[in-house]
Amino acid sequence: MRMIQGLVDWLQPEQQQTSGSEPLSTALERVRHTVRPGSLVVVISDFFGLDEHCNRHLSRLRQHSDVIGCQVMDPAEQFLPKGRYPISDGEASAMLDTHQQRLRVQFERMSETHGDEPRRMFQRHKCGWMVLQTTDDPVELLGRE
């Protein structure tokens, strides 16, 4: 736990904690410039902020380090039962009504894409990959990998 807290403190100094989260590409760039060659880098993220800048930084990071991507996913990101769900991006909010078949299918497609794109990017750069469900025991999962 001390190591994880140390990582949090290093990645999000107090001045950044109040301004919200930074893009994944910024964190990857920072790691790329500070990590020693031959290091093992584990990227733990939901990968919602994945973009072409991440692809570039991951490619360069992988040239000199071993990299493992660990995608954290919640079962609600993959399947929602019929119902009405309030959703928000932190600024705007809306109501998601999954009683409509069309919306459920669209949600499932978006979820599938969200799971596949980061995995493909990491595998393209010959990085390790794992998925951690919020319902999993992380100690057990990481012990198996």
Side-chain angles (χ1 to χ4, degrees):
M1 291 306 291
R2 280 185 281 166
M3 180 181 81
I4 292 173
Q5 185 60 51
L7 288 170
V8 169
D9 294 343
W10 179 72
L11 290 174
Q12 293 185 339
E14 285 185 37
Q15 65 270 20
Q16 288 184 349
Q17 288 179 356
T18 58
S19 65
S21 61
E22 67 182 352
L24 179 59
S25 60
T26 302
L28 287 174
E29 181 179 25
R30 186 177 321 129
V31 169
R32 188 173 63 96
H33 289 297
T34 58
V35 73
R36 292 183 176 157
S39 295
L40 172 62
V41 177
V42 181
V43 182
I44 302 171
S45 175
D46 59 12
F47 294 106
F48 278 109
L50 203 61
D51 60 15
E52 196 52 41
H53 295 293
C54 293
N55 185 45
R56 183 169 39 90
H57 293 307
L58 184 61
S59 173
R60 291 182 179 165
L61 184 61
R62 180 62 183 103
Q63 290 174 357
H64 303 287
S65 302
D66 292 324
V67 180
I68 298 173
C70 180
Q71 185 174 28
V72 180
M73 299 205 51
D74 190 278
E77 294 171 349
Q78 298 166 310
F79 172 76
L80 283 178
K82 290 181 184 178
R84 291 175 49 89
Y85 302 94
I87 58 173
S88 172
D89 65 359
E91 294 177 14
S93 61
M95 189 64 69
L96 176 64
D97 186 351
T98 59
H99 286 100
Q100 300 174 23
Q101 171 82 13
R102 177 184 58 79
L103 288 177
R104 279 197 317 277
V105 169
Q106 185 178 6
F107 180 85
E108 289 170 10
R109 283 187 189 139
M110 287 172 37
S111 173
E112 194 173 302
T113 299
H114 172 66
D116 288 345
E117 286 180 357
R119 177 185 50 80
R120 276 189 251 136
M121 181 183 291
F122 274 74
Q123 289 177 340
R124 183 171 51 244
H125 295 294
K126 297 181 177 25
C127 299
W129 183 253
M130 63 176 27
V131 175
L132 174 65
Q133 296 287 336
T134 56
T135 55
D136 290 339
D137 177 354
V139 174
E140 182 181 318
L141 180 73
L142 295 172
R144 282 187 277 143
E145 296 299 324

